[in-house]
């Protein structure tokens, strides 16, 4: 088993990673009858894509002897209705500028083939911008 999710009432859940004991909360968003005081479940999906991208890029970068420490991803999630679902995820990556063109191409390919990217429904538009500026 990977995790345990407990409904706390008031449209809030507590999500525990069983191996580490780490916990995070989710709330329904304000536009869907919630308090919006924590990540919504769909926020975690969009954020999970960015986390997966940076993790996979970090793995590949280590083999290339490229340091991606302090790279960041700004995530914007767009929802549609009927049915209510994630329609688009925009990820704006801020990456080190001292990465060679050859390594940049390898890292971009790695980002675009991460497991979460492949796991998301193909109808979800994914816009990933790579800014080599840090």
């Amino acid at each position: 088993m990977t995790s345990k999710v407990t409904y706390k009432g008031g449209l809030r859940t507590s999500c525990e990673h069983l191996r580490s004991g780490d916990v995070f909360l989710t709330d329904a968003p304000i536009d869907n009858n919630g308090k919006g005081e924590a990540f919504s479940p769909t926020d975690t999906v969009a954020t999970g894509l960015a986390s997966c991208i940076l993790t996979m890029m970090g793995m590949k970068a280590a083999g290339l002897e490229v340091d991606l420490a302090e790279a960041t991803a700004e995530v914007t999630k767009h929802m549609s209705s009927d049915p209510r679902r994630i329609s688009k995820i925009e990820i704006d990556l801020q990456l080190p500028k001292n990465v060679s063109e050859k390594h940049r191409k390898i890292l971009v390919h790695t980002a675009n083939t991460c497991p979460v990217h492949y796991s998301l429904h193909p109808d979800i538009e994914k816009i990933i911008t790579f800014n080599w500026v840090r």
Side-chain angles (χ1 to χ4, degrees), residues 46 49-50 53 73-78 86-93 108 111-112 117 120-131:
L49 176 59
I53 286 170
E74 296 175 351
V75 180
T76 304
K77 173 199 70 175
H78 300 269
I86 300 169
S87 58
K88 178 168 57 172
I89 299 171
E90 296 178 76
I91 298 176
D92 189 30
L93 295 162
V108 166
N112 288 316
H117 196 285
L120 293 172
H121 195 282
D123 286 353
I124 298 173
E125 184 180 3
K126 297 160 214 72
I127 300 173
I128 303 167
T129 305
F130 299 85
N131 300 293

Side-chain angles (χ1 to χ4, degrees), residues 16 19 26 32 49 58 73 84 89 95 102 105 111 123 130:
E16 179 184 5
R19 184 175 177 115
T26 68
N32 200 24
L49 176 59
R84 185 169 172 82
I89 299 171
L95 302 154
K102 177 184 175 183
K105 287 180 182 179
D123 286 353
F130 299 85

Side-chain angles (χ1 to χ4, degrees), residues 40-53:
S40 73
T42 53
D43 291 342
T44 65
V45 171
T47 301
L49 176 59
S51 178
C52 188
I53 286 170

